[in-house]
Structure formats: C-alpha cells, structure tokens
C-alpha cells in the first residue's frame, strides 16, 4: 500500500475489544497502533465495545479497559462517552440494527433460518469425527427449507438461529496492507456460520462487519489471529453490497520460545505491569516496537513522536518477540529520564504502601528520601524496586543472611576478619570524601593481597542487609557511620555464634 492511498481518505480506525478479561499487552498493542495511525494521518480513533458475548462479558474488564487506556494516556475521539454521530459505540445497544440487517440478508437469500437442535448438531459432529469426513462443520441442512417449511416450524414455536450462506463455488480475496492478497477457496471457509443466535444476539462476525461499515471505518488494524475469519467477513461485505475496509493484520506477539505470549512467559496484562513498577512511557515505547520499526537503529520514541512518525509501511510480517529484559531496560531508561519531581511523586507512595516510611512520612524520613533519591535513581529498573533498595535506611537491621555475607572462597572466620578490618577503616570516615574512602579500602585490600569484592561484600551486607545496594560509601553517609558500625558489630556477633 502506498502512502498516498493511505492518506487520501480521511482515516477512521477503531479499537474494538471484547471486555472478557484484563487488557492483554497484545490487545493494547492493537489499540496504540490504531491510535498512532489515526493521529499520524489526522484521522479519528474510535473505541467500540464488542460485548455481544454476554456470558463472558464482565464489568471489571470494562473498568480495566478504561483505566488501562487512561494510564497510557490514549484517548479516543469517539466512543461510549464521546459521541461522534456514529453511536451507540457499545454493541449491546445496537441489537435492533443487527436484527434489521440480518433480515436484509435473509430477504436477499444470503442468510437463512436454521432450526437444527443442539442434539442434531452434536450427532453430526460425532459422525464427521468418526468417519474422518472431509466435510467439517454445519452440513447446510436447513439451507434448502422452503418458505412453507420455515413458516410451519416457526408456527410450532421452534427456536432457530440465522446462518450466513457461504458460496460453495469460487474464491474470496482479502487485501491486506501488510500481507498482500490473501485468497481462500470458498469451499474451505467453514460452512454457513451463525450470525444471529437463538436469543436474538448477533455473533461477533455480523456485529463487527455491520459496525465497521456503519461507523465508516477505513482501516482495520487487528491481530493476525483474525486472518482466518477475514474471508468470511469479506463475503459478508459483498452480501450487503458494501466495500470492505482495508485490512492490516498485525504480527503475532510471541514469547522467546515462539509460542503466543501467555502467562507462561510472564506478565501479560497491562495491570500487572502497572502494579509491577513500569512507567507508561516505557510500555508505550516498547510495545510500539512489537511489529513496527522506524528505521534500523532508532529505539526511543515518545508518545508525541509516535503520533507523528507511525506508519503502516513499517509494520513487519514476522512475529514480534516480547523480550521482558528489554522492556526492563527501557523502563530503567525512562526512570532516569523522568522529571525529578514527577518521579518522586511516584516513588514516595510506593514507600508508604510498602510500609517503609510512615503515612504521611515524617520530616526526617523525607530528608532521608531526598538524600537517597539521586543515588538510587540510576539503579531502579522498576519503580517498585525502591523499597528493597532503601529499606536499610528506614528500618532497623538485627539479623543478617549469612550466605549473603560470606564471600565465595571465604569462610566465616575470614569474613569476620574482613568486617573487623572495615570497621577499622571507617575511623575518620566523615572527614574523608567518598573518593578518599574508596582509595583507602582499595589500598587495604591490596595490602592484604585480596580483591576489593571480598572486602566490600560483608560490609555491604552488614550495613544494608543486601548484596545489592546503592553505592557503599554514600549509603554509609546516609545511614550515619555510627549506625553502620553498630551493624558491622551485630553481624560479627552473629557470625561468631555460628563458628
Ligand atoms: N472484538 C474483537 C476482539 O476482541 C475485535 C476483533 C477486530 O478487531 O475485528 O479482538
Ligand atoms: Zn439447521
């Protein structure tokens, strides 16, 4: 698809989730691609709720949808709360329309009533399985009922569904901006799908096609999972006498092992990422690269950049691998780039929630937080990492993990010796700069003929309770050298009781 054709028409795209669970990162990728495509072309982005599956629909997932889009800062031009003249935007409020259009299809011979019982359909399926029959699915049993027969059955009050008549001959082509032409023989399309259920509810196919047409959707950007049903949708457009929108099926999002991204790989719902300490900037940047690239090198894109730069031509065909490590890296980068005051506004509530500081924090807690902020900022991959990293500054430490404290190739006695040496080296600590203290420890290690690591590790564990901590000497300054000394002595006592 050339760019010119894309922009010739005024773009109208939609995100059409079925709220049956938490917003999946793959779904949100679809949402933001639609959003950016609309923005980059001065078009409209529409939010449509596909809640025709009333059994699986639930209110929590609808709330999750809104809060997720809100958190990402993705706003829609038209949707349930924003009428643009094409509403309602919730399918359960459009049932009359679907009935009316089903009638049209029946009148033109493209659809028919099917009175088959569940039992008959079960038997049919069993038979097909048993005979390994080439014919799969519905056998078009009711497609030849005469008008009289239909009247008769309805007079008897028999329940029915409405099925769409798939032509037996010929083939159907779907034109996809990315995949090119996708052609299926009509006889390979699952015969005569239900479009209206016995309770009068439409199925996804019918509602989706009618709404895309009625809402003037120009491009359908959706996951590749929908390709198999694409040709059937094209046949529906033809039956109605409508032009189909341009399709643009987005590459699958897979885990490292190549299978579709699922819980097995890690978090998949945006909610988990929100609670897990990720910034919306990082999520948007990372998922925009799941199947799209600007060029071979540029990695950083703000939402505002993408609103200008996004284009369909740069979407790939190949599956996109969701790399959790890469996302963490992006997140760390965005934490570093974040405005200081804004980042503090995110971090402080985490400390309160994790009961690291009081609610509200005391002045002295705030002072410690201000002091530690510059040195931990570099170390955060997720905002939620903060509690573990700074806990030692706010909480007493009375027992230590011996395994963490004892360096490799060293025993407990050796570790005690290291701690005693460190304690000695802390004499006059406050009168020296960080560099001078570093220098001092370096020299001492050298004189002992050991590396700096085995000297620092027990000290680090003693002071912070963790092998991973902000820079050692800054940490000691923040804690206060007397407290540090007391902790070193505490760990020595604990180690000695182990000997
Ligand atoms: N409601 C469908 C879904 O949840 C929409 C598919 C489409 O975009 O056509 O994925
Ligand atoms: Zn039937």
């Amino acid at each position: 698809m050339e760019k010119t054709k894309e922009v010739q028409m005024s773009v109208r795209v939609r995100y059409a989730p079925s709220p049956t669970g938490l917003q999946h990162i793959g779904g949100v990728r679809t949402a933001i691609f639609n959003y950016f495509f609309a923005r980059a072309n001065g078009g409209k982005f529409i939010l449509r709720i596909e809640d025709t599956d009333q059994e699986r629909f639930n209110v929590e997932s609808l709330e999750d949808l809104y809060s997720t889009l809100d958190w990402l800062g993705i706003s829609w031009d038209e949707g349930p709360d924003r009428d643009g003249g094409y509403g309602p935007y919730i399918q359960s409020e459009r049932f009359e329309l679907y009935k009316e259009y089903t009638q049209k299809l029946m009148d033109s011979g493209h659809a028919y009533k099917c009175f088959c019982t569940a039992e008959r359909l079960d038997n049919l399926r069993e038979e097909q399985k048993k005979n390994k029959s080439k014919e799969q699915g519905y056998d078009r049993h009711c497609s030849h009922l005469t008008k009289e027969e239909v009247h008769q059955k309805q007079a008897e009050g028999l329940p029915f569904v409405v099925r769409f008549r798939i032509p037996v001959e010929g083939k159907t082509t779907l034109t996809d901006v990315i995949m090119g032409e996708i052609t299926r023989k009509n006889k390979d399309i699952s015969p005569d799908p239900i479009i209206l259920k016995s309770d009068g509810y439409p199925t996804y196919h019918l509602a989706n096609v009618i709404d895309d047409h009625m809402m003037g959707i120009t491009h359908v950007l959706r996951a590749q999972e929908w390709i198999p049903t694409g040709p059937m949708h094209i046949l529906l457009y033809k039956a109605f006498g409508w032009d189909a929108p341009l399709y643009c099926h987005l590459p699958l999002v897979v885990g490292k092992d190549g299978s579709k991204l699922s819980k097995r790989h890690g978090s998949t719902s945006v909610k988990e990422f929100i609670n897990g300490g990720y910034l919306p900037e990082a999520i948007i940047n990372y998922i925009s690269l799941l199947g799209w690239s600007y060029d071979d090198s540029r990695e950083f894109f703000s939402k505002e950049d993408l609103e200008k730069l996004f284009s369909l031509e740069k979407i790939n065909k190949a599956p996109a691998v969701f790399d959790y490590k890469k996302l963490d890296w992006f997140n760390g980068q965005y934490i570093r780039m974040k405005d200081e005051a804004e980042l503090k506004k995110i971090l402080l509530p985490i400390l309160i929630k994790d009961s690291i500081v009081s609610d509200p924090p005391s002045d002295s807690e705030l002072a410690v937080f201000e002091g530690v902020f510059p040195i931990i900022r570099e170390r955060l991959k997720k905002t939620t990492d903060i509690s573990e990293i700074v806990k030692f500054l706010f909480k007493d430490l009375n027992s230590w993990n011996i395994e963490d404290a004892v360096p490799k190739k060293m025993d407990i006695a050796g570790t005690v010796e290291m701690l005693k040496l460190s304690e000695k080296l802390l004499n006059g600590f406050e009168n020296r700069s960080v560099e001078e203290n570093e220098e001092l420890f370096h020299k001492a290690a050298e004189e002992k003929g050991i590396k700096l690591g085995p000297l620092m590790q027990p000290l680090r564990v003693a002071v912070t309770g963790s092998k991973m901590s902000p820079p050692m000497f800054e940490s000691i300054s923040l804690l206060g050298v007397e407290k540090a000394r007391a902790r070193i002595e505490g760990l020595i006592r604990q180690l000695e009781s182990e000997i």
Side-chain angles (χ1 to χ4, degrees):
M1 189 86 275
E2 316 104 67
K3 181 89 182 162
T4 43
K5 179 130 185 236
E6 261 177 37
V7 287
Q8 261 170 17
M9 46 178 132
S10 64
V11 166
R12 287 177 61 82
V13 289
R14 51 39 172 207
Y15 178 46
S18 303
T20 54
L22 295 178
Q23 280 295 298
H24 190 276
I25 201 87
V28 169
R29 195 267 316 252
T30 300
I32 71 165
F33 277 28
N34 275 288
Y35 169 82
F36 288 134
F37 178 58
R39 288 288 166 276
N41 290 290
K44 293 269 189 281
F45 173 60
I46 293 141
L47 178 66
R48 182 172 78 222
I49 310 298
E50 301 210 326
D51 60 345
T52 53
D53 190 347
Q54 291 284 316
E55 271 163 38
R56 289 175 59 218
F57 170 79
N58 65 63
V59 178
E60 295 78 49
S61 35
L62 196 59
E63 280 159 10
D64 180 69
L65 165 72
Y66 289 126
S67 62
T68 299
L69 293 179
D70 193 41
W71 183 77
L72 290 167
I74 301 294
S75 58
W76 46 97
D77 304 300
E78 296 172 27
D81 58 341
R82 246 156 275 177
D83 191 14
Y86 292 83
Y89 296 86
I90 301 181
Q91 288 190 327
S92 57
E93 295 172 13
R94 300 168 66 82
F95 281 4
E96 283 314 309
L97 193 73
Y98 307 134
K99 276 196 192 144
E100 185 189 326
Y101 278 85
T102 303
Q103 189 57 51
K104 288 191 182 178
L105 285 183
M106 288 196 285
D107 294 345
S108 62
H110 286 103
Y112 60 88
K113 290 176 180 163
C114 161
F115 295 88
C116 290
T117 59
E119 197 189 350
R120 175 173 189 274
L121 296 174
D122 281 347
N123 289 340
L124 176 66
R125 212 170 299 131
E126 286 289 304
E127 286 282 293
Q128 287 174 342
K129 226 163 114 190
K130 211 170 72 203
N131 303 337
K132 299 212 169 69
S133 159
K134 268 218 275 172
E135 304 288 321
Q136 289 288 322
Y138 185 59
D139 60 356
R140 301 183 164 98
H141 181 76
C142 299
S143 71
H144 309 296
L145 293 179
T146 61
K147 260 201 177 122
E148 289 69 35
E149 285 169 318
V150 171
H151 274 302
Q152 172 66 29
K153 286 178 190 288
Q154 274 194 273
E156 288 171 29
L158 294 180
F160 63 88
V161 298
V162 178
R163 292 184 182 270
F164 176 53
R165 206 185 289 276
I166 301 281
V168 189
E169 309 273 305
K171 38 192 177 184
T172 300
T173 298
L174 172 155
T175 309
D176 188 280
V177 178
I178 302 160
M179 314 289 285
E181 294 201 336
I182 302 169
T183 301
R184 292 273 176 283
K185 287 189 188 131
N186 290 339
K187 70 176 176 51
D188 293 338
I189 298 175
S190 176
D192 300 5
I194 298 174
I195 50 176
L196 206 69
K197 297 182 236 180
S198 54
D199 54 9
Y201 283 21
T203 57
Y204 153 73
H205 310 291
L206 180 77
N208 186 270
V209 164
I210 292 179
D211 287 352
D212 280 347
H213 176 75
M214 293 291 170
M215 294 183 179
I217 300 302
T218 55
H219 299 71
V220 169
L221 276 61
R222 65 180 175 195
Q224 271 179 21
E225 282 100 320
W226 293 105
I227 288 182
T229 41
M232 193 246 277
H233 292 183
I234 296 287
L235 285 171
L236 273 169
Y237 281 103
K238 279 204 184 132
F240 281 121
W242 299 334
D243 285 334
L246 273 173
Y247 286 91
C248 179
H249 286 95
L250 309 174
L252 295 177
V253 180
V254 297
K256 273 227 152 108
D257 60 359
S259 68
K260 205 181 147 195
L261 193 71
S262 72
K263 287 246 166 298
R264 277 187 305 119
H265 301 105
S267 302
T268 53
S269 68
V270 179
K271 191 173 210 156
E272 287 169 283
F273 289 103
I274 298 176
N275 295 336
Y278 292 84
L279 297 179
E281 297 90 320
I283 296 281
I284 289 206
N285 193 152
Y286 184 65
I287 60 179
S288 73
L289 299 173
L290 291 174
W292 177 84
S293 58
Y294 181 63
D295 56 24
D296 289 338
S297 53
R298 181 165 169 189
E299 288 194 301
F300 281 95
F301 298 93
S302 68
K303 187 164 145 265
E304 292 68 32
D305 294 334
L306 292 162
E307 285 173 8
K308 292 193 200 90
L309 300 176
F310 188 83
S311 72
L312 299 187
E313 297 97 276
K314 298 284 175 64
I315 295 177
N316 312 317
K317 283 185 196 169
V321 178
F322 195 97
D323 181 346
Y324 288 88
K325 283 221 180 89
K326 185 79 193 218
L327 171 61
D328 285 358
W329 177 82
F330 266 113
N331 205 53
Q333 298 295 316
Y334 275 99
I335 288 177
R336 249 145 274 184
M337 287 188 266
K338 188 120 189 132
D339 170 77
E340 199 173 309
E342 274 178 43
L343 185 58
K344 285 179 184 164
K345 256 194 238 151
I346 296 174
L347 295 178
L348 206 52
I350 296 175
L351 293 178
I352 295 173
K353 184 175 148 280
D354 291 344
S355 307
I356 304 293
V357 298
S358 1
D359 185 10
S362 68
D363 286 348
S364 68
E365 284 170 333
L366 284 176
V368 175
F369 174 67
E370 290 294 334
V372 75
F373 177 82
I375 60 173
I376 48 125
R377 173 179 205 161
E378 302 292 311
R379 306 208 152 204
L380 297 175
K381 281 221 172 86
K382 300 167 200 159
T383 53
T384 46
D385 292 341
I386 186 170
S387 296
E388 257 325 286
I389 300 180
V390 305
K391 197 160 91 186
F392 74 97
L393 291 170
F394 297 94
K395 298 277 173 206
D396 285 342
L397 201 54
N398 304 311
S399 77
W400 291 262
N401 183 328
I402 303 282
E403 261 174 47
D404 283 351
V406 178
K408 267 195 209 129
K409 294 191 202 149
M410 201 175 267
D411 58 9
I412 290 189
T415 308
V416 169
E417 197 191 320
M418 291 297 113
L419 286 165
K420 288 188 171 158
L421 173 59
S422 289
E423 202 186 352
K424 209 170 91 200
L425 295 172
L426 288 186
N427 285 335
F429 175 86
E430 283 127 320
N431 306 326
R432 293 186 293 268
S433 68
V434 167
E435 291 73 28
E436 284 165 342
N437 277 310
E438 253 164 20
E439 185 57 32
L440 195 70
F441 274 72
H442 260 291
K443 269 214 188 108
E446 230 168 72
E447 278 166 23
K448 284 249 162 221
I450 54 167
K451 291 217 173 94
L452 189 62
L455 176 59
M456 296 296 276
Q457 184 180 330
L459 174 65
R460 190 179 288 285
V461 172
V463 174
T464 70
S466 159
K467 281 203 284 189
M468 251 88 70
S469 70
M472 193 66 252
F473 298 111
E474 278 94 337
S475 297
I476 294 175
S477 296
L478 286 168
L479 183 69
V481 73
E482 283 323 307
K483 269 197 193 162
R485 210 180 273 286
R487 289 183 184 187
I488 295 170
E489 284 161 15
L491 176 54
I492 290 177
R493 274 196 300 280
Q494 194 183 329
L495 286 167
E496 281 175 342
S497 72
E498 298 272 328
I499 300 178

